[in-house]
Amino acid sequence: MNGAVRPWADARVHVWTEVVLRAASVFEGLRGYWNEDESRHYFVHLDRHLRRLGESAKVTRIPGCPSAAELREALGELLRALRYREDVYARPTVFLTEGRYTSSPSASDAGFFMPVFPAPRESTIDTGVRCGISTWRRPGDDMMPPRVKTAANYYNLRLARMEADAAGLDEAILLNGAGKVAETGGASVFAIRGGRAVTPKVTDSILESITRDSVIDLLHAELGLQVEVRDVDRTELYLADEVFLTGTLCEITPVVSVDRFDIGGGTPGPVTRALQERYHQICRAGKRDTRGWLTAGPVLD
Ligand code: PMP
């Protein structure tokens, strides 16, 4: 936090800061896969995540975002200090302490923190999730840009998640202002129908997801599917052979039902399974990475 490795209990901010009062922060979610043979972590698309952090900070005018080199260095230092020998999740966050928008919006003082946690494989990657279409919409780029990964955006997503929870479902899929499929609170949405894949466009009120790009590429280049990037209707999800969610944390998560309609046979489908297998192979390739997806962490003896 703010340039030093600190004990958890000492990582504090004051209550009277913009980050606490108005959720003024931007962040990233990084995933590091532990490679036992090489005794080190490999982070997936690290540079792209660090670039997106800077982009989110730019749009929200939050100063003080560390450079990619500083962030990589901080991550290495933390991994050496924590010595986790398992998969991890890191969450670099740049936050605003000063800059009350009503009286002094340009007075800005920023801070930085990055916790690293163990991140075991989610059980839903195997079982799949039951989704509901939320009554809450993803806002437009002219309201609260979903392209930007700012904490404030996540209250919209929390409302949707709480609604799904109250309905006895696992996850919410939000539509955008035009009533087309947008995304979930932490993932992009894909559907397979008649051998074709569809997914919303980056201008459909979604985060410019990094996993989404990789999955579009894998579906096309490795599984031989035609991928349509276009408006997606909710009923296309109901009628799909397969639906799945993609994201750094949830990886490739099957969707087994939408609004209680079973998807396909109500169990994860063959394209989803094949994609999961390929995605995991690549993420766990370690030094055999041929795609340039992976960045090595420090060797931990
Ligand atoms: N949408 C939202 C709202 C998210 O929080 C995430 C997770 N970062 C994603 C999509 C997936 O993005 P990525 O593939 O870059 O992790």
Side-chain angles (χ1 to χ4, degrees):
M1 182 181 195
N2 296 334
V5 175
R6 292 174 205 274
W8 185 254
D10 297 347
R12 296 176 183 280
V13 292
H14 197 273
V15 291
W16 204 251
T17 48
E18 280 305 295
V19 60
V20 176
L21 296 172
R22 280 169 280 269
S25 75
V26 291
F27 67 100
E28 269 305 320
L30 318 173
R31 205 183 223 295
Y33 290 88
W34 176 247
N35 187 306
E36 187 62 41
D37 293 343
E38 297 180 47
S39 226
R40 68 196 331 180
H41 295 92
Y42 276 89
F43 284 81
V44 184
H45 296 307
L46 181 63
D47 286 341
R48 286 194 58 188
H49 279 281
L50 299 183
R51 194 177 333 129
R52 190 170 66 185
L53 182 68
E55 290 171 352
S56 295
K58 176 177 180 175
V59 175
T60 52
R61 298 179 192 274
I62 295 180
C65 185
S67 68
E70 287 167 334
L71 286 163
R72 276 197 299 271
E73 169 122 13
L75 184 60
E77 199 180 337
L78 262 179
L79 291 168
R80 278 192 295 270
L82 289 164
R83 313 198 64 77
Y84 289 131
R85 300 176 68 89
E86 58 191 304
D87 295 350
V88 293
Y89 176 71
R91 193 188 191 279
T93 308
V94 192
F95 63 91
L96 211 52
T97 50
E98 300 289 331
R100 184 177 163 204
Y101 63 93
T102 47
S103 62
S104 54
S106 55
S108 51
D109 196 10
F112 172 77
F113 67 84
M114 176 166 60
V116 176
F117 303 110
R121 182 185 165 95
E122 307 259 357
S123 62
T124 45
I125 291 175
D126 300 311
T127 58
V129 288
R130 294 158 309 149
C131 292
I133 304 292
S134 181
T135 62
W136 300 99
R137 301 284 184 101
R138 209 77 182 98
D141 191 57
D142 55 350
M143 301 177 198
M144 190 68 194
R147 174 171 289 105
V148 171
K149 205 162 164 62
T150 175
N153 267 352
Y154 283 76
Y155 220 91
N156 167 243
L157 298 166
R158 185 165 194 269
L159 290 172
R161 186 59 191 265
M162 298 296 275
E163 184 184 46
D165 212 47
L169 297 169
D170 306 312
E171 188 57 276
I173 295 174
L174 290 90
L175 305 180
N176 61 23
K180 304 295 179 183
V181 173
E183 61 182 347
T184 76
S188 307
V189 180
F190 284 78
I192 308 291
R193 193 173 172 208
R196 288 174 183 212
V198 292
T199 196
K201 310 186 296 295
V202 287
T203 47
D204 281 344
S205 296
I206 64 170
L207 182 74
E208 281 183 351
S209 150
I210 295 163
T211 318
R212 174 184 171 280
D213 280 352
S214 300
V215 165
I216 290 174
D217 186 41
L218 291 181
L219 284 170
H220 180 69
E222 304 235 346
L223 303 183
L225 269 77
Q226 193 174 324
V227 186
E228 295 176 6
V229 177
R230 59 163 172 79
D231 288 352
V232 178
D233 284 329
R234 71 190 288 171
T235 48
E236 290 186 275
L237 302 186
Y238 298 162
L239 297 175
D241 304 318
E242 299 181 39
V243 176
F244 54 85
L245 310 176
T246 67
T248 303
L249 200 56
C250 77
E251 304 177 319
I252 316 290
T253 295
V255 174
V256 292
S257 67
V258 179
D259 287 347
R260 312 247 177 224
F261 287 112
D262 277 353
I263 302 302
T267 52
V271 174
T272 311
R273 287 293 185 222
L275 185 67
Q276 282 182 325
E277 200 182 312
R278 196 69 198 104
Y279 185 80
H280 287 133
Q281 270 172 2
I282 299 171
C283 291
R284 296 204 177 273
K287 63 177 176 228
R288 295 185 313 281
D289 169 37
T290 52
R291 295 174 170 265
W293 284 22
L294 304 180
T295 302
V299 173
L300 306 180
D301 308 308

